[in-house]
Amino acid sequence: IGVVASFSKPVIADELLSSISLISENDDAADKKINEESDVIAGIDYEENSHNKWPENTRILLVEDNRVNQMVALSVLKNIGLTVEIAVNGMEALKALSSALKDKPFTFVIMDCQMPIMDGYEATQKIRLGEAGEANKSIPIIAITANAMQGDEEKCIDAGMDDYLTKPI
């Protein structure tokens, strides 16, 4: 139907720039570039091609209190072949991380910032202090928040998180 490129919302700057650059190229170059681009631009099915990219023991702890957000994130993560466990607040995250050390430790954490009982900032600080076990002090933590104001990313990094994503996923 004439579509040269596509991407999902919210738009990631690199995907948008890549798609825009395709418009200015001739058809042959665009076809070649589409085949060389990322999975999103090339239209490759994530589920079919991502399962073999993760080590077998990769486990994610998703810390999110909102049921709808849990379902969306869980679907996205499972579709790319990841094993996910959910905690609904920071207190549950600390318990899950501590108890998982013995059997199957988590590979990384996706942490909502604003939750009841214990928010993501406090939970991250406690993890970094070793309250979820010494082995988890350096576990990668990715913040996930609806806050996209200037300074929010810095607040997450200052709390000890390693990266920052905005909602919706």
Side-chain angles (χ1 to χ4, degrees):
I1 60 175
V3 175
V4 175
S6 67
F7 43 84
S8 60
K9 293 181 183 178
V11 178
I12 296 171
D14 290 339
E15 292 172 357
L16 179 61
L17 290 172
S18 182
S19 295
I20 291 170
S21 71
L22 291 175
I23 295 168
S24 64
E25 297 180 17
N26 67 39
D27 289 343
D28 291 337
D31 287 342
K32 182 178 180 191
K33 186 160 182 128
I34 287 172
N35 291 329
E36 294 172 354
E37 286 295 332
S38 69
D39 292 347
V40 172
I41 301 298
I44 296 171
D45 181 10
Y46 278 108
E47 187 172 350
E48 182 177 295
N49 292 289
S50 296
H51 286 283
N52 297 327
K53 294 181 183 179
W54 302 103
E56 188 175 319
N57 59 351
T58 302
R59 288 184 66 219
I60 287 51
L61 178 61
L62 172 64
V63 188
E64 170 65 63
D65 64 316
N66 181 285
R67 183 70 182 132
V68 173
N69 292 341
Q70 288 174 1
M71 290 170 36
V72 170
L74 191 60
S75 175
V76 169
L77 295 167
K78 284 190 172 188
N79 279 340
I80 61 171
L82 292 167
T83 302
V84 183
E85 186 174 315
I86 296 175
V88 297
N89 60 55
M91 191 74 79
E92 281 191 18
L94 293 173
K95 289 177 187 174
L97 286 166
S98 295
S99 63
L101 281 175
K102 299 171 190 97
D103 302 331
K104 299 177 187 173
F106 289 99
T107 309
F108 65 91
V109 177
I110 299 175
M111 179 82 71
D112 185 17
C113 293
Q114 298 176 334
M115 297 174 289
I117 301 175
M118 183 186 295
D119 67 22
Y121 303 112
E122 183 180 355
T124 297
Q125 290 169 343
K126 289 181 180 281
I127 291 167
R128 297 299 184 227
L129 291 171
E131 292 186 31
E134 282 297 311
N136 284 318
K137 286 175 77 170
S138 61
I139 190 169
I141 301 174
I142 301 169
I144 180 168
T145 180
N147 295 337
M149 301 296 288
Q150 189 172 13
D152 288 329
E153 182 176 5
E154 290 79 16
K155 185 176 178 181
C156 293
I157 302 302
D158 290 345
M161 297 171 180
D162 297 290
D163 206 351
Y164 166 91
L165 298 171
T166 57
K167 292 180 189 177
I169 297 178

